[in-house]
């Protein structure tokens, strides 16, 4: 069960005797000279960059000081004229952190075992050093590909053709070294993708290492979870809570049994998926079932949800099939009519089965968006008395200005090559490093990785981008559009087909 947390300024009024504390579901972290407030959960990492004063003030909120005592310290530390001004200042810090979230809560005995004690002096940073930092000093999260192979051969899979011989894969020990390095850098959340993470022979050893390091992740698979595998997952800790989270096991399956078996290229796949779900549910796993919906399965969503809820599944995701960099099977792409049908079926399912957490991903009619692997940024503004440069830097972070360095993660492939994305072909042109014999930090700070998001103008000679007066603005606002160009044309250094400038639009 989740911990009960009363959010200050929302659930509970702030008084002199209130004891503010950073919620166990958030982490205050030092990243270079920056302070980051990061959501501690197993899904996509979310974080806010904090101004120097805000980071220093939140660092004091470890559940041992009352609001009055915090105000006294802030008055002295920031040379505020009166206790009243200091109380107003601390209140602004709390309300800024809780603006759209629940980061600062009221301290209780129940929360005591989960509170992270930090040294406030670690967050005492000169504003000049804070402003000089251009990007995260270390990645905030990682995407890990233990394997690109799978037990199925799904028609819509983007990982096809990237399978490597076992001799080329990173060793078990090298993966463990990388996981320990990640933990030592303060990384507490990773994504697992591929391929199927469980395809590797040593997959459970790597997952056990993640659990031992108390790193959060969700395990997504199409592997047949036998009784033996389910028991082994229990024994290494997959059903044990971390901070009241039980790590999620996501089983991927397609609706409609004959269609599902055909799409998976594996007769009997649907039956095995049902058996896997039952094996997990009866052992208390936190199970989510996800479908990648194509035009062939779009008519069957409601009946599929009905079947799953009858089995006891309470978490379901429906994701639209949107692109495939390999192959062009037009029969799988969703029409607007298909998408509207999916939305309508899910709406009815939510009404009929209110106990189910039913999520839809990318099912609305498409617009031009560029999907990159990045950390979701939250809205936390600078405090009114901090200078304009700090306000501008926080605005750039909040708006995801890629020229500013909002890229916060990277992908490690099965043989140790590094990319910035997890949904692109693993081709030489997209690699920005290799951790097979180099540290994560060395790759993170390398020129190939740092320069990859924004190719130099001279590299674009001969393409429409070369003479485009909006190039710098496009690279900072539209974001990594050359990835989509690679999908369409096989080269990075041209605009994608959806480029608004190519289409004669004046607004980027």
């Amino acid at each position: 069960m989740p911990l009960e947390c009363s959010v200050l300024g929302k659930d509970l009024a702030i008084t002199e005797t209130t004891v503010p504390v950073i919620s166990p579901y958030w982490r205050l972290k030092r990243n270079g000279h920056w302070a980051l407030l990061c959501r501690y959960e197993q899904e996509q990492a979310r974080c806010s960059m904090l101004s120097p004063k805000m980071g220093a003030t939140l660092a004091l909120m470890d559940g041992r000081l009352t609001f009055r005592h915090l105000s006294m310290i802030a008055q002295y530390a920031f040379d505020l004229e009166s206790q009243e001004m200091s109380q107003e200042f601390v209140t602004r810090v709390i309300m800024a952190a809780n603006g759209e979230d629940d980061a600062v809560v009221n301290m209780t005995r129940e929360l005591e075992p989960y509170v992270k004690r930090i040294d406030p002096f670690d967050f005492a940073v000169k504003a000049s050093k804070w402003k000089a930092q251009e990007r995260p000093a270390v990645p905030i999260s990682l995407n890990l590909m233990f394997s690109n192979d799978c037990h199925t051969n799904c028609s819509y899979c983007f990982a096809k053709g990237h399978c490597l011989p076992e001799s080329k894969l990173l060793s078990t020990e090298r993966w463990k070294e990388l996981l320990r390095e990640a933990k030592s850098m303060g990384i507490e959340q990773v994504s697992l993708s591929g391929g199927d993470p469980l395809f590797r022979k040593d997959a459970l050893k790597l997952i056990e290492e993640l659990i031992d390091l108390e790193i959060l992740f969700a395990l997504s698979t199409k592997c047949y979870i036998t009784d033996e595998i389910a028991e082994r997952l229990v024994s290494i800790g997959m059903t044990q809570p971390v901070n009241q989270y039980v790590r999620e096991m996501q089983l991927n399956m397609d609706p409609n049994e004959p269609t599902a078996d055909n799409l998976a290229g594996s007769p009997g796949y649907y039956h095995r998926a049902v058996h896997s779900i039952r094996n997990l549910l009866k052992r208390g796993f936190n199970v989510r079932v996800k479908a990648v919906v194509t035009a062939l399965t779009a008519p069957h969503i409601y009946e599929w949800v009905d079947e799953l809820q009858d089995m006891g599944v309470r978490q379901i995701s429906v994701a639209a099939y949107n692109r495939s960099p390999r192959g062009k099977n037009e029969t799988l792409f969703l029409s607007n009519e298909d998408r509207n049908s999916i939305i309508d079926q899910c709406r009815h399912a939510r009404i009929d089965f209110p106990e189910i957490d039913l999520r839809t991903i990318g099912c609305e009619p498409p617009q031009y968006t560029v999907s990159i692997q990045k950390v979701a940024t939250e809205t936390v503004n600078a405090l009114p008395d901090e200078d304009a440069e700090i306000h501008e830097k926080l605005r750039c972070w909040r708006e995801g200005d890629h020229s500013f360095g909002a890229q916060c993660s990277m992908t490690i492939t099965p043989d140790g090559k590094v990319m910035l994305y997890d949904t692109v072909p693993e081709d030489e042109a997209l690699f920005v490093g290799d951790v097979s014999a180099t540290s994560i930090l060395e790759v993170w700070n390398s020129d190939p990785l740092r320069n990859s998001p924004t190719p130099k103008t001279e590299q674009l000679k001969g393409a429409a981008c070369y003479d485009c007066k909006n190039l710098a603005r496009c690279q900072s606002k539209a974001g990594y559009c050359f990835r989509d160009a690679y999908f369409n044309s096989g080269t990075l250094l041209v605009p994608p087909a959806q480029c608004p400038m190519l289409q004669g639009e004046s607004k980027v």
Side-chain angles (χ1 to χ4, degrees):
M1 290 292 291
L3 296 167
E4 187 173 335
C5 299
S6 297
V7 182
L8 295 182
K10 294 182 178 180
D11 303 328
L12 196 68
I14 303 170
T15 69
E16 285 199 344
T17 58
T18 297
V19 180
V21 67
I22 303 295
S23 166
Y25 297 115
W26 289 82
R27 293 286 188 267
L28 185 63
K29 296 183 179 182
R30 178 79 180 264
N31 190 303
H33 297 299
W34 291 348
L36 301 178
L37 188 60
C38 303
R39 180 73 179 181
Y40 184 60
E41 61 186 359
Q42 61 193 357
E43 298 182 9
Q44 182 188 30
R46 295 189 293 136
C47 67
S48 306
M49 184 169 75
L50 306 175
S51 69
K53 286 185 179 180
M54 191 166 176
T57 305
L58 286 173
L60 295 166
M61 299 183 188
D62 63 0
R64 292 182 286 193
L65 297 172
T66 65
F67 176 80
R68 181 173 179 273
H69 289 127
L70 287 168
S71 300
M72 292 170 66
I73 295 171
Q75 182 181 2
Y76 173 78
F78 301 125
D79 196 23
L80 300 173
E81 291 182 5
S82 66
Q83 179 70 0
E84 182 179 12
M85 286 183 64
S86 185
Q87 288 186 351
E88 182 182 342
F89 169 83
V90 176
T91 299
R92 286 207 313 265
V93 169
I94 293 172
M95 297 310 295
N98 287 345
E100 296 180 7
D101 280 301
D102 52 3
V104 183
V105 300
N106 186 51
M107 183 64 182
T108 64
R109 287 185 179 179
E110 182 192 10
L111 299 184
E112 176 66 31
Y114 305 99
V115 171
K116 293 290 182 182
R117 305 295 186 193
I118 55 178
D119 185 347
F121 287 103
D122 286 344
F123 293 83
V125 177
K126 289 183 178 180
S128 59
K129 291 184 176 180
W130 186 97
K131 289 185 283 189
Q133 184 170 328
E134 297 179 351
R135 63 193 286 271
V138 299
I140 295 170
S141 68
L142 295 172
N143 181 62
L144 309 177
M145 294 180 171
F146 293 154
S147 172
N148 275 339
D149 217 330
C150 188
H151 294 281
T152 57
N153 185 29
C154 297
S155 302
Y156 46 75
C157 181
F158 64 79
K160 281 184 179 181
H162 308 311
C163 301
L164 298 166
E166 192 170 342
S167 60
K168 297 278 189 180
L169 301 177
L170 288 178
S171 68
T172 307
E173 190 51 44
R174 182 57 185 152
W175 268 117
K176 288 184 176 182
E177 289 171 353
L178 293 170
L179 298 180
R180 292 171 199 142
E181 183 191 355
K183 181 68 174 184
S184 73
M185 292 191 299
I187 295 174
E188 297 183 287
Q189 298 146 296
V190 299
S191 302
L192 302 181
S193 67
D196 194 318
L198 290 181
F199 188 87
R200 268 186 77 120
K201 294 177 181 178
D202 61 356
L204 294 182
K205 292 180 180 178
L206 300 181
I207 291 166
E208 184 175 17
E209 184 72 18
L210 285 169
I211 292 171
D212 288 346
L213 292 170
E214 295 192 347
I215 293 176
L216 286 180
F217 62 90
L219 179 57
S220 178
T221 184
K222 274 194 171 180
C223 175
Y224 176 33
I225 306 297
T226 63
D227 283 308
E228 181 183 358
I229 294 175
E231 287 294 338
R232 177 75 175 114
L233 286 166
V234 170
S235 72
I236 64 176
M238 271 299 292
T239 57
Q240 295 302 309
V242 180
N243 216 43
Q244 300 301 300
Y245 283 117
V246 175
R247 292 179 179 86
E248 189 173 278
M249 279 285 295
Q250 179 175 279
L251 268 294
N252 301 312
M253 67 182 296
D254 302 304
N256 185 260
E257 183 168 357
T259 306
D261 286 358
N262 183 50
L263 285 172
S266 179
Y269 147 75
Y270 192 91
H271 176 75
R272 292 191 296 274
V274 169
H275 195 196
S276 295
I277 293 167
R278 288 180 171 146
N279 282 341
L280 293 171
L281 287 174
K282 71 183 181 183
R283 289 172 172 85
F285 280 81
N286 179 20
V287 177
R288 176 174 292 278
V289 180
K290 178 184 176 182
V292 176
V293 186
T294 68
L296 303 180
T297 54
H300 307 289
I301 298 301
Y302 181 92
E303 63 194 61
W304 177 72
V305 173
D306 188 10
E307 180 182 359
L308 290 175
Q309 69 84 29
D310 195 47
M311 291 166 52
V313 176
R314 292 296 176 263
Q315 299 179 106
I316 301 172
S317 294
V318 176
Y321 172 58
N322 284 316
R323 70 166 70 248
S324 174
R326 303 284 192 191
K328 303 287 183 182
N329 190 340
E330 297 293 337
T331 63
L332 300 182
F333 287 102
L334 294 166
S335 66
N336 284 347
E337 184 179 351
D338 291 328
R339 293 172 181 274
N340 289 330
S341 172
I342 293 167
I343 295 296
D344 191 54
Q345 290 177 75
C346 288
R347 181 175 60 82
H348 280 99
R350 290 188 183 102
I351 294 171
D352 294 345
F353 315 120
E355 69 279 8
I356 291 180
D357 172 18
L358 176 56
R359 303 177 186 178
T360 55
I361 305 166
C363 295
E364 294 73 18
Q367 299 175 345
Y368 174 52
T369 58
V370 179
S371 174
I372 65 168
Q373 192 210 345
K374 62 187 280 286
V375 173
T377 54
E378 300 294 311
T379 303
V380 174
N381 296 316
L383 298 169
D385 54 349
E386 293 183 293
D387 70 42
E389 191 175 344
I390 291 174
H391 279 268
E392 176 62 15
K393 203 155 194 171
L394 291 176
R395 182 196 64 78
C396 289
W397 173 277
R398 185 172 61 250
E399 294 179 4
D401 189 325
H402 308 296
S403 65
F404 165 69
Q407 177 71 39
C408 298
S409 185
M410 65 187 197
T411 291
I412 300 175
T413 64
D415 59 349
K417 300 293 193 301
V418 174
M419 304 186 298
L420 292 180
Y421 323 97
D422 66 343
T423 56
V424 294
E426 291 179 31
D427 292 343
E428 194 68 35
L430 298 168
F431 294 145
V432 293
D434 188 339
V435 294
S436 61
T438 308
S439 71
I440 294 171
L441 191 58
E442 286 175 310
V443 172
W444 181 252
N445 289 319
S446 68
D447 287 341
L449 186 144
R450 297 186 67 156
N451 296 334
S452 180
T454 51
K456 292 180 171 58
T457 304
E458 55 266 26
Q459 293 178 269
L460 300 164
K461 195 167 186 176
C465 302
Y466 182 74
D467 297 314
C468 180
K469 63 182 180 181
N470 290 294
L471 177 61
R473 188 165 156 234
C474 180
Q475 288 180 332
S476 69
K477 299 296 182 187
Y480 306 98
C481 52
F482 66 85
R483 189 215 69 166
D484 277 8
Y486 192 83
F487 278 155
N488 296 330
S489 63
T491 178
L492 300 173
L493 303 174
V494 297
Q498 305 95 329
C499 175
M501 290 303 170
L502 287 184
Q503 296 173 9
E505 298 176 15
S506 60
K507 186 176 180 181
V508 179

